[in-house]
Amino acid sequence: MMRYLLYFFYLEWFWGFRLAQFIIRHEIRGEKKYGIRTIGIDNLAGDVSLEDRKHVSTYEPVNYYTSSRLFDYLQPTDFTTTLLDVGCGKGRLVAMGAAYGFSDIIGIDISKKLCESASNVCRVIKAGHIHDN
């Protein structure tokens, strides 16, 4: 619960109370629905090379609301293609893509720590613990 509260304060600081409240509500629902924990922000400065630090500093996931809306626009033939998530972070879109019906999914990230988290999400997917839409 503390992670949700800290993320709420982070969002509230940058986006305001109403948007933070909206996002957190969808974060809680999404984490529960997909059975994963990808919420929050992570400082990546100690996890990437000096060269890569010029381009990245903090992990912050795409929110569930926006992701769901985008997935809802896809057509049945879209799910026969490969879902490539560049900057997959902790694997949120990988999990969502599997739940929506993609069978060929690739996630890549610059951070070893985040790749390990995404690998854990993939294990959840393979174990079948994700709830379908």
Side-chain angles (χ1 to χ4, degrees):
M1 195 59 158
M2 181 59 99
R3 241 174 127 75
Y4 292 114
L5 186 60
L6 291 173
Y7 194 49
F8 172 81
F9 287 133
Y10 170 82
L11 293 169
E12 197 275 333
W13 178 263
F14 288 101
W15 298 101
F17 180 79
R18 285 190 159 186
L19 188 55
Q21 186 180 30
F22 177 84
I23 291 172
I24 287 297
R25 185 173 347 114
H26 288 280
E27 290 295 305
I28 292 169
R29 287 180 189 160
E31 300 279 277
K32 184 177 178 182
K33 177 178 183 175
Y34 296 103
I36 58 176
R37 296 292 170 255
T38 58
I39 192 171
I41 56 172
D42 288 290
N43 185 336
L44 302 177
D47 193 43
V48 297
S49 71
L50 288 173
E51 177 65 26
D52 293 332
R53 284 185 211 161
K54 296 176 189 174
H55 310 289
V56 66
S57 60
T58 304
Y59 160 78
E60 182 180 346
V62 63
N63 67 67
Y64 281 103
Y65 177 80
T66 302
S67 302
S68 296
R69 296 276 308 215
L70 292 172
F71 276 119
D72 288 343
Y73 279 105
L74 296 176
Q75 302 299 312
T77 55
D78 295 326
F79 298 108
T80 63
T81 63
T82 300
L83 172 64
L84 174 61
D85 184 5
V86 178
C88 68
K90 294 181 180 179
R92 177 177 288 188
L93 284 180
V94 170
M96 293 180 73
Y100 270 82
F102 281 95
S103 57
D104 190 20
I105 303 171
I106 300 170
I108 60 173
D109 202 280
I110 197 168
S111 164
K112 182 179 179 182
K113 176 175 75 173
L114 294 180
C115 283
E116 289 169 359
S117 293
S119 291
N120 290 334
V121 166
C122 290
R123 282 190 278 284
V124 169
I125 293 168
K126 287 180 182 176
H129 294 120
I130 289 183
H131 303 85
D132 288 8
N133 287 328

